[in-house]
Structure formats: structure tokens, C-alpha cells
Amino acid sequence: MFSSSLRSALFYPAVAHALSHGGPALQKWGQWSATRPDMFPLELCDLLRDLHTAVPSHSWPQTKYICETAIGRPLFEFFSDFSQRPLASGSIAQVHEAVLRDTGERVAVKVRHPHVMEMLWIDTQLMHGLTWALEAFVPALRFLHLQTSVAQFSHALAGQARLDIEAQNLVEMQRNFGSWRWRDVRIPQPLFAAPAVIVETLEVGQSIGKVKDKLSRCVAQWVVHRGQDVYLKMLLVDRFMHADLHPGNLFVDTTKIHDTGAELVLVDLGLVARLSVDEQMNFLGLVRALGYGDGTSAAWFLLRFCKPGSQRCKGACAEAFTRDVVTLFSKVCRGFGTGTDFGQVVRAVLELVRVHEVTISANYATLVVNALCLDGLAADLAPEYNLLDGCAPLLRLSALGQNPAGAYVLRKLYPLVSAFKTAADTRLRKR
């Protein structure tokens, strides 16, 4: 068994280094693993979060060939201008700027790397074999749950590599945020889609990670408040979540900044999570338990963060886990109005989840990690804002959704309660 100091000093950095120099699937797995503190130690997650995930771009002739194959005609019959140098390149695809010939509109063209599907399939098969061998012959590595993580990752990656599926996600997210109440939240509009190419509107803006130090106090608070609104809308009403909602995928349109706000742009919907009613209600039950300082209920919901019958932590394990969660809550989580640090509590709970080997499925992990991304955003931009207290009215309302009639009432009351929250947030920014 590796000692704790040896893991921190040598093993974790070696894993991060190996993944950063591996193929596209290994890099993506490292990036995905960074979002699973329920499966991996926090020290390792922090190292993997810093992975350099950009890969060399493919050549201009390859881009031209892939685009012409997808659109079925010569490139410059479809576009009047097309930048040969990509704006960005990632593990799956690269993005070019272009101009549509018919309309003169500037667009973003996302082009999948050549042979990436075959490379990803080969990489994931090798990863399955390698993780099986490591867990079978190196018992000291079983604490990392490598086989489970690779299985869940492979399922998520399959959808991300199909750009036409990403286009469908964009359309659905646009529909969900298409009303006048969300006129300050934009999603790129797909104009053409094929498995290897998306042409979409070129959205003006910069990632929050790049502009956060340039925002005024009022606008920074607005970004946090509106980001929380977006997350709660996806969770409470749509049950359709952006699965990678970190500051790099949340843009601020710097041309639309004004005294009291701006416009947000959600990008990169290759990874999404479609929630069942049970997943929605169990996660909301956990967050309400945090709001009420109820450790017993929190543990009860956490033990249901997986498919029925697949929970590994049962009997004495579940009782020990519940006792530890109750003890944790007695120290750091007293509920609404007590200054509870949401991120601190959730990270501590995830450490207990890992120690007790509580099973958590991928959609629940997405919900938790997105919530932690929002907490990190609030810590950077509006540290005085308490996320738990800010969403208290909507969390209390969410208790209605546990049966069909209550869910109907929740959907009808949501706009009113959400407007109440928005008004309270506005008053807070004016102080």
C-alpha cells in the first residue's frame, strides 16, 4: 500500500504527467477524472484539473476535406472566407472562424480531428484492459476505482465525439432558455451539423476565467446570481444539464456590459446530463438537507445517488457513513441563515463518500461538480454571497416535486418564486 506522503509526492504527479502526454482519450479521461472527487482523492483531482488538454491541430487540407465531405460541395461554395488557422484545438475537434457565402454572417466551424473516432475506440479498449490488470495485480491501486471510472467515462465520451449530437443539445438548450426572461443568456445556434462538423453562430464574449478581474463589483455579483439562476433552471424545470459548466465554458459578452449586468453565453455542450425524476429529487433532497442542517437526511439521499440495487455501501457501511455525515454536519453545516460554506460542506461530504466507497453514478457527479464550479465562481467574484441562502426560496419550493401533482404546482410557481429571488439579488447588488 502506498503511504499518503508517497502518493502526494510521487504517485499523483506521475499520473498527471502521464495523462498530459497521452493520447486524446487519456487526456480527456484525466480531465473527466478531475471532476470526480467522489472517486479520486482531492489532491489528485486538483492536479488533473491543471492538465493541458489542447492538442496539436490537424492540417488545413484535412480541415478542407472533412468540411467538404460533410457539406457535400466545395468549401468556398458554402463559405466566402475561412480562416486556415484554428481559433482553438482540443482533444476531439478544432474551431475555425468563417463567413457564410449566402448571408455574410461570421460563424464558428467546429471540425472533428481525422480518425478521432477510431483513435478513441482503441484508446478506451486499451484503458479497459490496463485498468483491469492494475486492479487485479496491484491491489494498492484499487482505492482509485479505475475500472468504474473508465466505464463511466467511455459512455460520456461516445456522445461528445458526435458533433451532430452536440448540435441537438444546443437546440434543446436554446429552447429551454428561449423566453424573454432569459434574454440575457445566449446559446450558440447551430446552422449546419454533421457527425464531424458543426457550423454555429460566432458568439461575442470572453470566458469568465479571463475577464473576472476586469468586472466591476456589481457586474461580478450579477454573473454569480445569473449563473445560479441558470443552474437552478436546468435542475428544477428542465432536467437537462450542461455537464461541463466551468468558467471556461461560461462567457461574458464584454460588448453588452452595463451598470447592473451583462449577457452570459453558454458554450461547448458536447457533454450534457439528462436527469430522471429520481435523480432530480434525490439531488434536491441532498441540497435541502444542507439547508436544514440535517445530516441524517443528507446521508439518506447520498446513498441513493446510483441505480437501484447498485449501491456498494450497505448495512454496517451505510450506518458508519451516516454517523460520519451527521458528525460533519454538527460541526460545519447548521443550515440556512448560519453562514454555512456550501463548497466546504460538499467537499467534506465527497471525501466521506470516497472513504466509505459510496457509489455515485455519473449524472449525480455532474450535478455535484457543476454546483462546486458555481461555488468557486462565487468565491472569486462575490465572496460575500452565500449560495445556500440565495437559493433558499427555490429549494423550499422543490419539495413539492416529489409526486406528479406537486411537480405540476412546482412548474407553475417556479416563475413567481424565481422572480422573487431575482428581485432579492437585485436589491443586494444595489447596497
Side-chain angles (χ1 to χ4, degrees):
M1 182 71 69
F2 293 126
S3 69
S4 177
S5 59
L6 187 60
R7 289 177 185 175
S8 300
L10 296 177
F11 181 64
Y12 296 156
V15 169
H17 178 80
L19 292 176
S20 68
H21 290 80
L26 283 171
Q27 291 184 351
K28 276 290 179 185
W29 181 62
Q31 184 183 23
W32 180 87
S33 299
T35 70
R36 297 303 304 263
D38 59 300
M39 301 178 74
F40 300 103
L42 285 172
E43 287 179 85
L44 180 57
C45 290
D46 289 340
L47 285 172
L48 296 179
R49 199 169 289 117
D50 294 331
L51 279 179
H52 181 61
T53 57
V55 297
S57 58
H58 59 254
S59 69
W60 163 244
Q62 289 173 315
T63 292
K64 186 171 181 289
Y65 174 77
I66 293 168
C67 288
E68 288 180 339
T69 301
I71 62 180
R73 50 177 160 153
L75 187 73
F76 288 103
E77 286 185 10
F78 196 83
F79 301 101
S80 60
D81 186 37
F82 198 108
S83 173
Q84 295 188 21
R85 184 186 297 274
L87 297 173
S89 180
S91 299
I92 303 296
Q94 62 191 44
V95 180
H96 294 259
E97 185 175 351
V99 179
L100 293 178
R101 180 168 291 280
D102 291 344
T103 65
E105 180 181 2
R106 301 198 74 81
V107 295
V109 184
K110 192 170 185 178
V111 185
R112 194 171 68 194
H113 295 311
H115 312 300
V116 76
M117 295 293 284
E118 295 89 341
M119 292 169 61
L120 291 174
W121 185 86
I122 292 170
D123 282 355
T124 53
Q125 297 309 304
L126 290 172
M127 289 162 64
H128 280 294
L130 178 61
T131 54
W132 175 85
L134 286 172
E135 291 197 355
F137 298 109
V138 189
L141 296 180
R142 290 176 185 168
F143 76 100
L144 288 174
H145 309 298
L146 294 173
Q147 288 192 77
T148 303
S149 75
V150 168
Q152 293 188 4
F153 163 74
S154 299
H155 177 73
L157 188 63
Q160 192 178 20
R162 286 280 304 269
L163 300 188
D164 53 336
I165 294 176
E166 179 175 346
Q168 294 171 15
N169 296 337
L170 288 168
V171 170
E172 184 165 354
M173 195 66 76
Q174 273 194 325
R175 183 168 60 247
N176 293 344
F177 288 90
S179 72
W180 67 270
R181 293 189 64 250
W182 299 100
R183 59 190 180 278
D184 53 4
V185 176
R186 303 203 311 266
I187 291 92
Q189 178 184 355
L191 306 173
F192 171 86
V197 175
I198 297 178
V199 180
E200 61 187 41
T201 53
L202 181 65
E203 298 294 340
V204 177
Q206 296 184 59
S207 68
I208 289 176
K210 292 182 178 179
V211 301
K212 63 183 181 180
D213 295 330
K214 303 174 184 177
L215 302 177
S216 68
R217 175 179 174 274
C218 185
V219 173
Q221 289 179 325
W222 177 88
V223 168
V224 173
H225 297 161
R226 206 56 173 150
Q228 186 181 43
D229 293 339
V230 168
Y231 179 85
L232 290 170
K233 166 76 160 51
M234 292 189 292
L235 174 61
L236 286 167
V237 179
D238 305 329
R239 289 193 279 119
F240 182 68
M241 307 290 297
H242 190 310
D244 197 17
L245 202 58
H246 59 76
N249 284 338
L250 193 60
F251 282 33
V252 177
D253 186 343
T254 53
T255 68
K256 300 290 181 68
I257 290 178
H258 48 82
D259 291 341
T260 58
E263 290 189 6
L264 291 182
V265 185
L266 307 183
V267 300
D268 195 1
L269 270 85
L271 286 175
V272 297
R274 198 176 300 277
L275 307 179
S276 69
V277 173
D278 284 344
E279 288 170 335
Q280 178 194 43
M281 287 296 106
N282 285 336
F283 183 75
L284 286 168
L286 169 66
V287 183
R288 281 197 308 274
L290 266 67
Y292 295 130
D294 185 349
T296 302
S297 293
W300 189 89
F301 284 112
L302 282 161
L303 289 167
R304 283 151 183 79
F305 272 24
C306 60
K307 293 180 180 179
S310 62
Q311 182 55 260
R312 292 174 300 188
C313 184
K314 303 175 182 177
C317 173
E319 292 174 4
F321 173 68
T322 300
R323 284 195 301 271
D324 285 350
V325 174
V326 170
T327 300
L328 172 69
F329 271 49
S330 69
K331 296 176 180 177
V332 298
C333 185
R334 301 299 179 87
F336 295 129
T338 63
T340 294
D341 185 327
F342 176 82
Q344 177 192 13
V345 175
V346 172
R347 288 181 179 86
V349 166
L350 287 176
E351 180 62 16
L352 292 178
V353 164
R354 189 184 67 81
V355 168
H356 290 276
E357 299 188 352
V358 176
T359 306
I360 291 185
S361 64
N363 275 1
Y364 288 111
T366 294
L367 291 167
V368 172
V369 170
N370 276 354
L372 288 175
C373 286
L374 185 60
D375 177 75
L377 187 67
D380 280 343
L381 299 181
E384 71 286 352
Y385 183 65
N386 188 287
L387 286 177
L388 199 58
D389 293 343
C391 63
L394 286 167
L395 283 178
R396 291 189 172 101
L397 177 68
S398 71
L400 294 173
Q402 298 177 63
N403 59 71
Y408 174 81
V409 174
L410 187 155
R411 288 193 298 271
K412 292 299 181 182
L413 289 179
Y414 168 81
L416 178 63
V417 180
S418 180
F420 172 79
K421 176 188 179 298
T422 299
D425 289 340
T426 301
R427 288 195 299 272
L428 182 63
R429 291 196 297 272
K430 289 181 178 179
R431 289 180 184 173

